[in-house]
Structure formats: structure tokens, C-alpha cells
Amino acid sequence: MFLQQLINGLTLGSTYSLLAIGFTLVLGLLQMLNIAHGDVFMIGAFLGLTFSLLGMPLYLALILAMIGAGLLAVIIERLCFRPLRKAHFLMPLLSTIAFGILLQNVATQMWGSEPSRYPQTMEIAQFHLGSVQISSIDIIILVVSLGFMIGIDLFVRKTRFGRAMRATSEKPQTASILGVDVNMVIIVTFFASGALAGIAGVLTALVYLQITPFIGIRQGLIGMVAMVIGGVGSLRGAMIGGLMIGIIEIMNDAYFTASYRDIILFGLFFVFIVFKPEGLFGAKER
Amino acid sequence: MLTIRGIEAGYGAIKVLKKLDLDVQKGEIVTLIGANGAGKTTVLRVISGLLAPGKGEITFENERITGLPPHKTLRRGICLVPEGREILSDMTVLENLLMGGFIRRRDEVNSSVKAVFELFPILRERQTQLGKTLSGGEQQMLAIGRALMSKPKLLMMDEPSLGLAPILVNEVFLKIKELRSADVDILLVEQNARKALKIADRGYVLETGQIVLSGSGQDLISNERIRAAYLGGKTG
Ligand SMILES: Nc1ncnc2c1ncn2[C@@H]1O[C@H](COP(=O)(O)OP(=O)(O)OP(=O)(O)O)[C@@H](O)[C@H]1O
Ligand SMILES: [Mg+2]
């Protein structure tokens, strides 16, 4: 029973991690939050739904939703961040809040505000491992999101472009005199953050089977909570933070009361802010 | 090969450089000296592209590079060792060097790392340490080594001896002389005017954004006005 919940928690949490990573990537580069990030997740889910309704197989819908959400994040960079580089530091925060609301309304116009049913484009198989039951959907979610997490971690740590990303987030001017096209790094980073949110959107929709234009609101906030718990600025922290929240959420629902879920999660947020503001993996200084 | 003509630049309403001319010829070490706030760093920032000039023209190897962003001037062969070293503190020494070779092919980068380790053996010992754990002198060597990784044709250094112990200062100046024999032209900004003029072929004196004097290193060292203002009046 406990093992079952643990796996369910990891599955849910891995989608939170994907969101938290996106926040962290942008924050590390620009020291700014993209509040519309949760709504990129929502658009990703609707893109997945639309492509699936067109009869595409899941992998194709996932790839296209990922590209669409990535491009949307690039548009956000162009509209909400780049024109405001020299503006007051709160301006991009405000512009992304506005853009998020815009996205919610556009989605409402396109897909309606009532829950849309997510079409089933594949057979769902159930596997039994002892007392643990795991569905093919869970396996897809775990493999895809853990795969992307490990991939992005390796990419940032080991590759030439990943090094350029780290250099740019620490000292943009220095990165530029070393030959890094800083604007290019910013665009690629936004694309990656949006793509990860898009994947998370489709994967989450596979579980809940119903989506509305407002699913990004809670999801975005949870992604931020995951980032704070993991340690602001730390990629691995964002991953662990997301997994932890998923497990806590599922354990709460299984052993306690589902209606207390967000009281506990957002309560935890404040516990960390007050007692461990650097989070689990964040640096104390900076 | 570098020519600067009539450059005017500043920060917002503050005008710093006023109609500045300056040249670096092939095979030269040129030094730019001047008091604090004269605009030396600003000159280097304009050349590298960190700051766009309001007026004037910069050419490098007969091509106009005025206003090109830093990642493009670097690809033309102009590299800046910035004031304050600007080591990437959360990256290892080796990663800092690899970043220095960002614009080069992977196989070339490896041989350049070896060459830098030969020039600064201490960096080989420290290669897995994080940048922020290096001493000031080690950081300066890393900053120079990192710049060399891009194989620059023109290396611009902003106060490389700042904050170093006298023995290290001598070492840095020795390395700079070695670089010239390695076919790198150098534009050197220094507080340490005497040492800079000694190794330089030519020098410029900058006062409130204008070149007030220029000449060979030797001429400037023996110039009365320079002795009084920048060399502490003593004989060298
Ligand atoms: N970012 C900036 N914003 C506004 N003014 C600046 C800025 N950077 C430099 N200045 C001004 O420009 C002038 C020249 O500065 P610069 O850094 O080029 O001098 P410097 O010759 O390198 O001095 P130092 O020897 O102290 O390094 C100074 O008066 C300085 O106050
Ligand atoms: Mg200076």
C-alpha cells in the first residue's frame, strides 16, 4: 500500500518537477519569475488534446505540444521580458501575470471554460508487481519526465552549451566577452522551460483526463513551491522539490484528508521560507 | 591593425570619451595609462563591444567593427581580460578555460588547455577547484589563460597587476612579454605606469577622456610631465 502511494507520488511529483525546472532555468538566467509559466503548461495540455483529437498517436502529440509550448515561452521572452530589460525589476513580473491571464482567456475562447475530455489514443495496460499496481500511463509519465530531468541535468553540467548557460546566469557580460551570444542563450533557455512545461501539461492531462483553461494556476504555484523547497536556483533542488511535493500530496490524500492537501503544501512553503529559506539544495549565500 | 578614430562614448548623459584616436600595429605592445576615472576601462569596453560608441569608427584588420557585440568582436580576434578578472566562480578552473575556448573547435581546445597549463603551471594543479576558491593572483592567471584560449590576435588587458604582490606583478609582466613573442598583440591598461611603459613599444596617456600624449615607451618614461603625474617623480 505504502509502496503503491510512493509510486503514485513520484509519478505526480515528476510533472511538478518539470515545471519547477522551467522556473529555475529562467530565474537563474534573468533573476526573474515567469508567472505565466503555469499557463504555458495549460496551453501544452490543450495542444496535446487538440493533436490527439486529430488522431495523432501519443508520442507525436507530445512532441508537437512540447514544441508549441516551447515557442510560446519564446514569445513570452520577446513580449514580457526583452522590452523590459532596463525597466523596473517588477515590470516583467507584471507583464507575465497579464500574459498568463491573456492565455487563460484565449484558451477559454478556443476550447471553452467547461472541462474538456482528453481523448484516449492508446490502450491502457495494468501491470502487477506483487501488491503494487502500475499502469502504462504511469510508466510513460515516469520514464518521460525522469528522462527529461536527467537529460537536462547532464546537458547543463556537461555540454558546451550548458556551460554557456551557467556562465550566462552567473555573469552575462563575462559570458559575452567569452563569445557567448547571450540573447541566443536566453531564447534557448525559454524554449526549454516552455517545452518542459508543455510535456508536463500533456502528461498531467493523461492522468486527470479532463482539462480546463485554469489548470495552470495551481500547477504554476505548486511549481514555485517545489522550487522554494528544493532551493531557489538549484536545478536538482527543483527536481527533488517537485518529487517531494508529489509524494506528500498523494500521502495526504491516502492517509489523511484530500481537502487538506493545499493547506499542507502551502503551509510547508511557509515553513521553508521561515526556517530554511535556502531550501534543501540552495546555496546559503547569494 | 586596430584603428580608432574620433570615438565618443559615455554612460547615458555622462560623456566619458571625447574624440579619441588610438592605434595598435601588428606585433606591438601598446599601453594606455591615465588617472582613475580617465576612461581607460571605457576605451576597452567600446573596442570589445560591451559599450556602443555614440560617434566614431573602429576598424580591425581593415574591417569596420564599430558597435559589434562582444561575442562577434571575439570571433574577429579581439579578446578582453576585464577589470576585476571576472572569473566564473561556480565553475572549475578547467571549465573556466573551456569557456575561454567557447568559440573554438573541440580538438583545438584541448591543445590550447595544455598550452595554458604550460604557461601557468599552477592552473594545472588547481584545475578541478572552483574559481571562487582561487587566490587573487591565481585568478589573474586564470583570467589571462582563459582569454588566450580563444587564440586572440589582439589581447586587451585591464589592470592585470591590480591587487597582486610585487613578485606576482613581475611574473605577470614577464608573461605579457612572452605573449608578444607568441604573436599576440597587446593593448595594456595599467596603473603600474612605469612597468607598463617599460615593456611597451608605444604608450598613450589618457586624461578625462582624451589622449593628451603619445609616444614610444621609452620617450614617455623620460617625459617630465609623465614622471611628475604618473611615475611618482622618481627616476626609473
Ligand atoms: N556604468 C557606468 N555608469 C556611469 N558612469 C560610469 C560607468 N562606468 C564608468 N563611469 C564613469 O566613466 C568615467 C570613466 O570610467 P572608467 O572606468 O573608464 O575609468 P578608468 O580610467 O578605467 O578608471 P580606473 O583607473 O579607476 O579603473 C568615470 O568618471 C566613471 O565614473
Ligand atoms: Mg578601469
Side-chain angles (χ1 to χ4, degrees), chain A residues 49-279:
Chain A
L49 173 132
T50 305
F51 294 131
S52 299
L53 284 176
L54 292 174
M56 291 182 194
L58 178 62
Y59 78 90
L60 197 57
L62 197 62
I63 290 172
L64 291 178
M66 174 178 147
I67 294 172
L71 293 176
L72 179 60
V74 172
I75 292 173
I76 291 177
E77 193 276 325
R78 200 68 190 78
L79 291 183
C80 303
F81 287 92
R82 198 178 303 189
L84 299 173
R85 286 215 189 137
K86 299 223 165 86
H88 189 275
F89 77 101
L90 282 176
M91 285 298 288
L93 203 70
L94 301 179
S95 64
T96 56
I97 291 175
F99 198 84
I101 294 171
L102 204 71
L103 287 179
Q104 289 163 26
N105 283 281
V106 168
T108 304
Q109 293 307 319
M110 290 179 69
W111 293 287
S113 57
E114 294 301 307
S116 305
R117 276 202 65 77
Y118 206 88
Q120 246 181 0
T121 52
M122 56 174 266
E123 287 288 324
I124 299 175
Q126 297 287 348
F127 302 97
H128 296 270
L129 303 160
S131 64
V132 179
Q133 189 188 32
I134 186 163
S135 78
S136 46
I137 299 268
D138 294 333
I139 293 176
I140 290 174
I141 293 176
L142 276 173
V143 169
V144 171
S145 29
L146 293 179
F148 271 102
M149 279 189 242
I150 294 168
I152 202 134
D153 187 71
L154 285 175
F155 181 78
V156 170
R157 266 162 223 281
K158 300 286 181 205
T159 68
R160 173 174 172 276
F161 198 87
R163 259 198 307 275
M165 284 169 76
R166 283 185 286 143
T168 308
S169 45
E170 189 189 322
K171 295 193 170 103
Q173 282 210 342
T174 303
S176 74
I177 62 172
L178 296 175
V180 177
D181 182 346
V182 170
N183 277 334
M184 180 55 74
V185 169
I186 291 175
I187 288 171
V188 171
T189 303
F190 267 86
F191 183 87
S193 95
L196 293 177
I199 295 166
V202 177
L203 296 179
T204 308
L206 288 177
V207 178
Y208 292 112
L209 295 173
Q210 297 207 14
I211 53 178
T212 77
F214 310 104
I215 52 168
I217 300 172
R218 174 176 186 270
Q219 199 83 13
L221 290 170
I222 292 281
M224 282 186 232
V225 175
M227 179 174 74
V228 168
I229 289 178
V232 173
S234 159
L235 263 190
R236 289 185 179 172
M239 299 177 193
I240 304 290
L243 296 176
M244 261 183 62
I245 290 190
I247 292 170
I248 292 170
E249 179 171 335
I250 294 288
M251 293 295 174
N252 171 75
D253 291 7
Y255 298 107
F256 200 48
T257 323
S259 61
Y260 272 55
R261 186 194 287 167
D262 283 352
I263 296 179
I264 290 185
L265 290 183
F266 288 92
L268 196 63
F269 177 76
F270 285 101
V271 170
F272 267 85
I273 282 189
V274 173
F275 295 106
K276 201 165 167 48
E278 75 278 10

Side-chain angles (χ1 to χ4, degrees), chain B residues 44-161:
Chain B
L44 300 190
R45 287 172 62 87
V46 168
I47 298 170
S48 69
L50 284 169
L51 182 68
K55 273 192 190 152
E57 191 167 80
I58 308 173
T59 59
F60 185 65
E61 297 184 312
N62 302 319
E63 283 182 66
R64 195 168 176 276
I65 59 161
T66 325
L68 279 189
H71 66 272
K72 291 195 174 148
T73 57
L74 184 76
R75 281 178 170 79
R76 301 289 179 101
I78 302 177
C79 186
L80 172 66
V81 179
E83 191 170 25
R85 298 156 195 157
E86 302 291 334
I87 293 306
L88 297 161
S89 57
D90 288 330
M91 291 195 190
T92 65
V93 167
L94 182 61
E95 284 180 318
N96 266 278
L97 291 179
L98 293 177
M99 273 312 296
F102 183 75
I103 60 169
R104 299 185 57 217
R105 292 212 326 267
R106 193 181 301 261
D107 48 325
E108 299 173 337
V109 166
N110 291 332
S111 64
S112 288
V113 168
K114 282 208 190 82
V116 169
F117 283 161
E118 238 132 78
L119 193 64
F120 301 112
I122 188 74
L123 295 182
R124 189 198 303 273
E125 287 169 42
R126 301 269 182 270
Q127 59 177 301
T128 56
Q129 259 175 252
L130 290 183
K132 63 184 166 198
T133 67
L134 297 187
S135 76
E138 290 163 351
Q139 288 193 3
Q140 189 62 60
M141 293 181 213
L142 179 55
I144 298 173
R146 184 177 68 183
L148 292 175
M149 289 291 301
S150 70
K151 271 237 166 206
K153 296 170 185 159
L154 173 67
L155 184 63
M156 306 192 290
M157 289 191 255
D158 200 345
E159 310 207 11
S161 74

Side-chain angles (χ1 to χ4, degrees), chain B residues 11 14 16 35-42 83 159 191:
Chain B
Y11 305 89
I14 310 164
V16 179
N36 291 124
K40 305 179 298 292
T41 296
T42 306
E83 191 170 25
E159 310 207 11
Q191 291 289 330

